[in-house]
Amino acid sequence: MLTLNSKIPSGPIENAWTRHVNNNLRLVGPKNRPKYKIIVVGSGLAGASAAASMGAMGYKVECFCFQDSPRRAHSIAAQGGINASKNYRNDGDSTWRLFYDTQKGGDYRAREQNVYRLAELSTAIIDQAVAQGVPFAREYGGKLANRSFGGVLVERTFYCRGETGQQLLLGAYSALEEQIAAKTVKMHTRTEMLDLVVADGKARGIVVRNLETGKITSHAADAVVLATGGYGNVYYLSTNAKGCNVTANFRAYRRGAGFANPCFTQIHPTSIPASGEYQSKLTLMSESLRNDGRIWVPRNPEEKRAPANIPEADRYYYLEERYPRFGNLVPRDVAARNAKDVCDKGLGVGPTGYGVYLDFGAAIQDKGEEAVKAKYDNLFEMYERITADDPTKTPMRIYPAVHYTMGGLWVDYNLMTNLPGLYSIGESNFADHGANRLGASSLMQCLADGYFILPVTIGDFLSQHPAGEVDTHHPAFQEVEKEVSGQIDRLLSVNGTRSSESFHRELGKIMWEHCGISRNKEGLEEGLRKIPELREEFWKDLKLPGSSDHLNQSLEHAGRVVDFLDFGELMCRDALLRDESCGCHLREEHQTPEGEAKRDDERFAHVAVFEYKGEGVAPELNKEPLAFDALPLAARNYKT
């Protein structure tokens, strides 16, 4: 059994974080910080902000990414915005309201104290970004602009048109580059982490492969931070960049780190629908579009008219009718399930029948085309380039797609996993979003973790251990290097007939069909039968060109598919064991009469944490009970 000490501070939630920092955390003095070396894996918003912040504090930091520049991290793809409870609109927002909306949106499957801390730190994130020069949209008078996102009744989302992730990443990147120039941070690009090194019970370093030369090397440190994002590409088709993977987290899991809530996967409701088997990824259309776009389908399944020719009486604005209080701004899981429902009933649009309209006609008529385009022009341009349709003339067609993963490595309140010295931040951990993430909250978590939480909490661990306790001469490094090289040799020696891409695509279909928008016992059991069969075929029939001593992207991808195959099985196992519906996890056996998720708080008000027990052995389920003292459990209601 894992030891899961969450280190949650006692007492009132409103000042828990301040009290924890002042009373519970040991610090490392500025003269001693340069003695400690910290490895950060990942250079997106979480990784770049953490590496820059800790470098600025004086720690010796080494940052690793497999891209050719930190600016290529997937954080750049985030579009719609970042939440903060500044209450600039004077519409009733507050730290408590943001906490409430986030906890409710996650269907009460997150730690209260983590969620409140996220809300509390949100305002400082905006101040930090503005100080860095992030060009947030502004009102005519110069004040920062806000807009709404799903699951809330206030306007608290700060944005840079549809480029918010890119602009925030440029801010973090500039801070990172400053520390690289100051030589407090050493950057390793085109370098992929392939395993974690655990020595004497602590995370002490990583083994990496240089993607250009194929060279395997080890790197030791006093602490390791994983900021490697989510695992949505287990479904093959997703809105994630093609390079996104689960390898760093899954290798840490195999070394003893607990993996929490792997089945909690968010299906984003506004993606451009797949148009054929040839596609390798899907394109996100920002949730911000739901501020002005109305979602509808024809009421008649036999409708053949163009959308502009369908009168209002024959249009089914299903979210507005089913959820009159929130309308098109219901949370993502609710919007995604409802889109699937109307399409399953034969009301879907487009050549496949799996699409719904996102219509800006009313907004353009009310506000004028130029005003609407001023908000969304780059998103409209992206859509037109991909589909050849102009959203100002004809409605967008959208359909849900895999987007974000709420599950991740288990961490305590200090963001440390159960493995001493191993930290996980941003989407890489499970901590803040429960069973469903509200829109515009991912960037908030990444920057809260990287700028404001980890740089403070990591000192508590480091201060209790002398710097440089272990270096790469420790036998554990040689042992892990040997295992990594052996895995690569095994992949290259199969010499079958199928590409790793074909196996990945087949796994994705299994996951989408059996562990997608909705799940049921029979389907999950079928997935748990099919995935081991596919894995067995992978190791018999994989075909990889080239060798390991140079750039070989087929080899890179095959290594990631190995982990997706094992991880997909873990996801299905978690979804099967969680015999309830909550947030994005809809078990068809557990629904209200209206088709909403029906929780089982008596049996499942906990974090499911899986412990690796060895090759071919079922993982052990550990449970961290969740307490609801500040915000009592309540059924989610977005209708009234």
Side-chain angles (χ1 to χ4, degrees):
M1 294 289 288
L2 296 178
T3 300
L4 302 177
N5 179 7
S6 61
K7 299 179 182 175
I8 297 295
S10 59
I13 199 170
E14 289 83 357
N15 60 1
W17 171 238
T18 301
R19 200 168 58 251
H20 183 65
V21 171
N22 290 339
N23 300 337
N24 300 340
L25 296 181
R26 291 166 55 99
L27 305 178
V28 177
K31 295 293 185 182
N32 288 327
R33 290 173 200 157
K35 300 175 184 177
Y36 288 96
K37 180 179 171 184
I38 302 168
I39 284 175
V40 177
V41 185
S43 62
L45 278 176
S49 60
S53 298
M54 292 187 294
M57 293 173 70
Y59 291 112
K60 188 189 304 180
V61 180
E62 293 200 29
C63 186
F64 295 77
C65 72
F66 59 69
Q67 297 93 348
D68 54 8
S69 165
R71 286 181 60 180
R72 298 294 296 276
H74 184 56
S75 298
I76 202 171
Q79 297 171 351
I82 177 171
N83 289 328
S85 54
K86 287 282 195 180
N87 195 30
Y88 284 171
R89 291 290 195 184
N90 194 30
D91 55 1
D93 202 8
S94 63
T95 296
W96 184 268
R97 173 62 63 176
L98 178 52
F99 160 60
Y100 168 80
D101 287 342
T102 305
Q103 187 72 324
K104 175 184 175 183
D107 218 353
Y108 299 89
R109 289 295 177 262
R111 283 195 202 120
E112 282 192 332
Q113 290 84 350
N114 286 70
V115 177
Y116 191 90
R117 176 175 65 183
L118 181 64
E120 180 183 357
L121 293 174
S122 66
T123 56
I125 297 170
I126 303 303
D127 296 338
Q128 172 85 358
V130 170
Q132 290 174 334
V134 173
F136 287 120
R138 293 179 180 267
E139 304 289 359
Y140 178 77
K143 292 183 179 178
L144 297 183
N146 292 119
R147 59 190 178 195
S148 294
F149 260 61
V152 305
L153 295 173
V154 297
E155 294 179 281
R156 66 161 66 101
T157 303
F158 296 77
Y159 62 97
C160 311
R161 292 206 305 172
E163 305 170 354
T164 312
Q166 177 178 341
Q167 299 302 330
L168 287 169
L169 185 60
L170 287 172
Y173 173 72
S174 65
L176 177 62
E177 285 295 317
E178 181 183 16
Q179 296 308 312
I180 293 172
K183 301 190 184 309
T184 62
V185 176
K186 182 178 180 180
M187 193 73 216
H188 300 264
T189 59
R190 302 295 291 148
T191 307
E192 181 169 24
M193 172 185 164
L194 292 183
D195 216 331
L196 177 74
V197 178
V198 179
D200 305 323
K202 302 181 183 68
R204 289 306 193 189
I206 60 175
V207 172
V208 303
R209 178 175 181 267
N210 184 305
L211 298 182
E212 295 177 337
T213 67
K215 186 178 181 181
I216 304 294
T217 56
S218 292
H219 300 263
D222 298 294
V224 176
V225 180
L226 298 185
T228 50
Y231 46 83
N233 275 350
V234 69
Y235 290 86
Y236 186 75
L237 284 179
S238 82
T239 66
N240 292 176
K242 285 296 289 179
C244 294
N245 61 80
V246 75
T247 291
N249 272 8
F250 197 72
R251 301 294 169 90
Y253 161 72
R254 291 172 71 98
R255 294 292 176 190
F259 210 111
N261 299 334
C263 77
F264 286 170
T265 307
Q266 182 168 86
I267 315 293
H268 198 292
T270 55
S271 168
I272 298 177
S275 57
E277 283 291 313
Y278 61 86
Q279 278 191 247
S280 61
K281 76 175 299 294
L282 298 171
T283 302
L284 174 70
M285 287 286 100
S286 169
E287 181 178 322
S288 63
L289 294 167
R290 291 198 274 154
N291 275 279
D292 289 297
R294 301 180 70 192
I295 297 172
W296 63 276
V297 291
R299 291 190 183 275
N300 181 4
E302 306 300 323
E303 182 63 71
K304 302 298 183 187
R305 290 173 290 183
N309 297 329
I310 300 175
E312 286 290 310
D314 294 336
R315 299 182 180 191
Y316 181 20
Y317 295 95
Y318 56 90
L319 290 178
E320 297 175 28
E321 292 188 22
R322 296 177 179 182
Y323 305 92
R325 190 171 187 219
F326 284 77
N328 296 298
L329 288 174
V330 291
R332 290 174 175 177
D333 60 312
V334 176
R337 281 199 299 272
N338 278 270
K340 179 180 185 295
D341 176 62
V342 294
C343 290
D344 287 347
K345 291 176 178 176
L347 301 178
V349 301
T352 65
Y354 285 97
V356 300
Y357 289 130
L358 181 59
D359 193 342
F360 296 89
I364 290 173
Q365 185 175 358
D366 180 43
K367 302 175 183 178
E369 182 174 325
E370 291 307 311
V372 174
K373 289 179 70 173
K375 290 183 180 180
Y376 311 114
D377 197 30
N378 60 321
L379 295 170
F380 286 179
E381 180 184 356
M382 185 192 309
Y383 182 86
E384 187 171 4
R385 285 185 178 185
I386 293 171
T387 67
D389 286 334
D390 181 353
T392 65
K393 303 295 189 292
T394 186
M396 286 183 177
R397 284 188 295 109
I398 57 168
Y399 192 70
V402 173
H403 177 60
Y404 187 89
T405 51
M406 282 72 65
L409 293 182
W410 182 90
V411 292
D412 62 20
Y413 193 64
N414 293 336
L415 304 182
M416 188 165 73
T417 71
N418 59 288
L419 269 179
L422 177 66
Y423 291 78
S424 179
I425 60 176
E427 192 179 357
S428 175
N429 72 36
F430 86 100
D432 293 355
H433 305 297
N436 174 62
R437 177 176 69 78
L438 290 184
S441 287
S442 62
L443 306 183
M444 179 172 62
Q445 184 203 358
C446 289
L447 295 180
D449 287 359
Y451 282 137
F452 300 111
I453 302 174
L454 180 71
V456 178
T457 61
I458 200 168
D460 186 62
F461 171 78
L462 295 175
S463 68
Q464 300 177 54
H465 302 279
E469 278 187 315
V470 171
D471 60 23
T472 54
H473 294 99
H474 192 285
F477 285 88
Q478 284 72 54
E479 183 180 334
V480 175
E481 274 195 36
K482 184 177 179 181
E483 291 181 25
V484 167
S485 297
Q487 173 89 315
I488 291 172
D489 292 341
R490 184 185 178 194
L491 286 167
L492 289 166
S493 67
V494 177
N495 200 28
T497 63
R498 291 182 58 181
S499 68
S500 61
E501 190 86 358
S502 70
F503 285 105
H504 192 183
R505 188 186 295 271
E506 187 172 342
L507 172 65
K509 289 180 179 178
I510 293 171
M511 295 299 297
W512 181 254
E513 181 177 351
H514 300 299
C515 196
I517 295 179
S518 60
R519 303 98 186 254
N520 59 56
K521 182 175 184 290
E522 293 74 19
L524 290 165
E525 289 174 343
E526 180 68 11
L528 288 169
R529 284 192 294 270
K530 287 184 174 181
I531 294 173
E533 294 171 359
L534 183 63
R535 179 170 53 240
E536 184 177 353
E537 186 179 353
F538 175 91
W539 286 112
K540 288 180 179 179
D541 202 22
L542 173 68
K543 176 67 174 179
L544 285 182
S547 63
S548 63
D549 59 357
H550 58 76
L551 179 66
N552 188 339
Q553 291 184 314
S554 295
L555 176 60
E556 294 171 33
H557 183 254
R560 296 164 188 170
V561 173
V562 168
D563 296 312
F564 278 140
L565 285 163
D566 290 343
F567 183 69
E569 189 173 357
L570 182 65
M571 286 180 65
C572 290
R573 184 179 300 276
D574 181 33
L576 181 63
L577 292 175
R578 187 169 283 277
D579 192 24
E580 67 160 350
S581 291
C582 57
C584 70
H585 172 65
L586 185 83
R587 281 287 295 270
E588 294 173 358
E589 305 94 324
H590 304 291
Q591 303 180 59
T592 67
E594 295 81 22
E596 304 297 334
K598 187 176 182 181
R599 297 195 318 256
D600 183 344
D601 294 328
E602 288 190 11
R603 295 194 298 152
F604 293 101
H606 63 251
V607 180
V609 187
F610 289 88
E611 177 184 4
Y612 182 70
K613 303 301 287 187
E615 194 76 40
V617 179
E620 183 175 356
L621 173 62
N622 300 262
K623 300 177 182 179
E624 180 199 338
L626 292 170
F628 304 95
D629 300 320
L631 197 63
L633 285 163
R636 284 204 307 176
N637 177 16
Y638 292 101
K639 294 186 176 183
T640 59

